[in-house]
Amino acid sequence: MRRVVLIAVPYLWLLALFLVPFVIVLKISLSDIALARPPYLPQLDLSAGWQGVREFLSGLDLENFVFLTTDDLYWKAYLSSLRIALVSTLLTLLVGYPIAYGMARAAREWRPTLLMLVILPFWTSFLIRVYAWMGILSTEGVLNNVLLFLGVIDEPLQIMNTNTAVYIGIVYTYLPFMILPIYAALEKMDDSLLEAAEDLGCSRLQAFWLVTWPLSRNGIVAGCFLVFIPTIGEFVIPSLLGGSDTLMIGKVLWEEFFSNRDWPVASAVAVVLLAILIVPIILFQRNEQKAREAEG
Amino acid sequence: MRRFSWFNATSLTLGFAFLYLPMILLVVYSFNESRLVTVWAGFSTKWYGELLRDQEFLDAAWVTVKVAVFSSTIATVLGTMAAYVMVRAGRFWGRTLFSGMIYAPLVMPEVITGLSLLLLFIGLGIDRGVFTIVLAHTTFSMCYVSVVVSSRLANFDRSLEEAALDLGCSHFAAFRLVTLPIIAPAVISGWLLAFTLSLDDLVIASFTTGPSATTLPIRIFSAIRLGVSPQINALSTLLIAVVTLGVITASIMSKRAAVAQARDEQAAIRAE
């Protein structure tokens, strides 16, 4: 009896507040926009009995999904989100790997402190970390002032409100997610393997490429997914640092809902976004499972 | 032997400069006299004074703290239960669905979670405000809590619990006297994680709130859309200070607890 209660409470909570809401999104994505409250049709009328259910079902269609394919805004936004996510994942790897490598090579007594220094920004408000870059990148910002003072440039660079600013923002805020799994993989590595490689005639660079890189592969893959997956649906960074030409699907969904108040199309955008995310999420789960099996 | 070269020293220095300089600049400019945030005009704490007199910010801060305390506490209870179910309950009907629902919110884009919960609340005709934000925050943060707690639960020696049951404890007493003290550090860090996630959330709160409740992130977001302001710098500095103190205190406490536990275990082994 007690076991049933223990299982039922979190189970029912998640069913009611996680699964049911999705079913609603799916249903509304198949409905049509209407000037009503709530602003979509058809409404399920249970008082009409079986007839009501039939009428409701016949009112559902794929019109919104067809609309998504005909208006270029949407597929351009999906493609551009994927491209921005991919490029910023690679940039984060490029910035994060040397840091994780340096941490794993630091003296043992230093490592907990370095680890904490990487985790600390993660606890600090995401919004504030993005905001910090607004003061740096704007035309009268710190970066432009420093570069002008040094005489590197003659007039301020326009970085704010461009895709460059979006890349900087993503790399900055997601860097801990890249560093931590790579560090975890590198930290476990046995150094005698490197010595063996060098004894056998490898140069340092070859030893890195043939030994260290493959052994940190699981960490790299995990880190890349941890950056790539949430970046696709990112809203805060493109809306604060990006410009009007920065197209990302999270921003489109937000505007569709809050500005255009088109709930059925917003729901259809959400359903397609989820469908896009399922593939990387499954690949990520599989990688984690393989890593666990390799350890166990 | 670990080789620590110039290359590593440089990458660490540059890396940590990249991570910390933006925040340091933010803190420095919060003490700037000038309203123009990029021109230094002397040291001043006047923005802090203005912040503390701004009723809108104070109200938003109060709403945020209320939401964070309620949602993280409920999420810790539910998340710990969920972790217990995942690690200990064995097989039951719909287990795969259950674990799927625990992991899915961790990778779900916030815009989708927010949209779906809003549509649920509207469908049910619930008035949106503090209550609905608490429900929304509890739902996603309980999943984080359960991941943190279940990794601790999976790692501890089950025979301790069985010994307590053999010695006549009820299941609940065994949980309270044996299991809970052992997993307590994980439960506390789960609570802290849930609390900060709630403090931090902009997107889900924007979807699930109504006109009656504005949280701090929503207030900050609408202010910074218009550009950088010294008042927001001051507010950010205060938030950064609170988080830094919290994280350092928590890590010192957990280190002490780990040392004490290791000592107790040693003593127990010697007593045998």
Side-chain angles (χ1 to χ4, degrees), chain B residues 105-180:
Chain B
L106 306 180
V107 288
M108 197 57 67
E110 290 168 318
V111 278
I112 297 186
T113 312
L115 176 71
S116 66
L117 282 165
L118 171 62
L119 295 176
L120 173 79
F121 295 144
I122 289 175
L124 294 176
I126 302 176
D127 271 339
R128 278 165 292 138
V130 171
F131 175 65
T132 44
I133 313 177
V134 169
L135 286 182
H137 282 186
T138 305
T139 307
F140 75 85
S141 46
M142 73 176 272
C143 303
Y144 284 88
V145 174
S146 101
V147 169
V148 173
V149 174
S150 63
S151 70
R152 178 76 186 140
L153 262 180
N155 281 331
F156 97 80
D157 191 353
R158 209 174 167 174
S159 56
L160 291 172
E161 260 175 31
E162 279 156 9
L165 292 175
D166 287 346
L167 292 169
C169 273
S170 70
H171 273 279
F172 185 68
F175 178 77
R176 198 168 52 88
L177 296 170
V178 178
T179 317
L180 196 56

Side-chain angles (χ1 to χ4, degrees), chain A residues 3 11 104 117 125 131 140 172, chain B residues 2 19-20 38 89 94 200 233:
Chain A
R3 181 168 174 270
Y11 207 135
L117 283 173
S125 166
Y131 169 68
E140 307 97 49
Y172 182 69
Chain B
R2 293 253 170 187
L19 275 176
Y20 282 93
T38 49
D200 204 15
N233 284 359

Side-chain angles (χ1 to χ4, degrees), chain A residues 2-3 5-7 9-11 13-22 24-25 28 38 40 95 98-108 111-112 114-129 131-136 138 140-142 145 168 171-172 175-176 179 186-189 191 194-195 198 204 229-230 233-236 239-240 249-251 253-255 257-258 263 266-267 269-271 273-274 277 281 284-285, chain B residues 1-5 7-8 11-12 14-16 18-23 25-26 29 37-39 74 78 81-82 84-85 88-95 97-98 100-105 107-113 115-123 134-136 138-139 142-143 171-172 189 192-193 196-197 199-200 202-203 206-207 216-218 220-221 224-230 232-233 235-237 239-240 243-244 247-248 251 255:
Chain A
R2 200 176 282 124
R3 181 168 174 270
V5 173
L6 183 69
I7 296 174
V9 173
Y11 207 135
W13 182 288
L14 287 171
L15 276 180
L17 286 153
F18 184 73
L19 202 63
V20 170
F22 270 116
I24 297 178
V25 170
I28 294 181
Y40 55 84
V95 177
I99 301 176
Y101 187 81
M103 283 169 65
R105 303 264 124 176
R108 199 167 282 277
R111 277 184 238 157
L114 293 174
L115 198 59
M116 183 142 119
L117 283 173
V118 173
I119 296 171
L120 193 59
F122 167 78
W123 289 86
T124 319
S125 166
F126 187 82
L127 196 55
I128 289 175
R129 280 182 291 151
Y131 169 68
W133 282 96
M134 294 174 67
I136 296 173
S138 66
E140 307 97 49
V142 178
N145 283 350
I168 294 175
V171 171
Y172 182 69
L175 194 56
I179 296 177
L186 286 173
E187 216 245 338
K188 274 185 293 201
M189 205 181 94
D191 279 348
L194 278 183
E195 281 163 33
E198 284 181 23
R204 273 198 162 185
I229 295 170
E234 185 56 56
F235 163 73
V236 175
S239 68
L240 287 178
I249 201 65
K251 210 174 120 191
L253 198 159
W254 177 287
E255 277 157 12
F257 192 85
F258 285 109
W263 296 10
S267 301
V269 170
V271 170
L273 173 56
L274 205 61
L277 282 174
I281 289 173
F284 175 59
Q285 298 266 354
Chain B
M1 195 201 79
R2 293 253 170 187
R3 279 161 304 193
F4 191 70
S5 63
F7 174 77
N8 294 333
S11 63
L12 280 184
L14 288 179
F16 284 106
F18 177 63
L19 275 176
Y20 282 93
L21 261 183
M23 282 193 270
L25 283 170
L26 196 66
Y29 276 101
V37 272
T38 49
V39 183
I74 306 169
L78 288 172
M81 287 171 90
Y84 211 79
V85 170
R88 291 293 153 81
R91 285 170 180 281
F92 57 90
W93 187 82
R95 200 198 142 92
L97 176 65
F98 185 76
M101 288 194 298
I102 290 287
Y103 285 107
V107 288
M108 197 57 67
E110 290 168 318
V111 278
I112 297 186
T113 312
L115 176 71
S116 66
L117 282 165
L118 171 62
L119 295 176
L120 173 79
F121 295 144
I122 289 175
V134 169
L135 286 182
T138 305
T139 307
M142 73 176 272
C143 303
H171 273 279
F172 185 68
S189 36
L192 282 172
L193 185 60
T196 26
L197 286 169
L199 278 191
D200 204 15
L202 164 75
V203 176
S206 300
F207 273 101
L216 209 48
I218 297 178
I220 294 175
F221 184 70
I224 61 183
R225 275 195 134 169
L226 307 170
V228 181
S229 94
I232 301 285
N233 284 359
L235 179 61
S236 310
T237 306
L239 290 174
I240 291 173
V243 168
T244 311
V247 171
I248 291 173
S251 79
K255 200 173 277 178

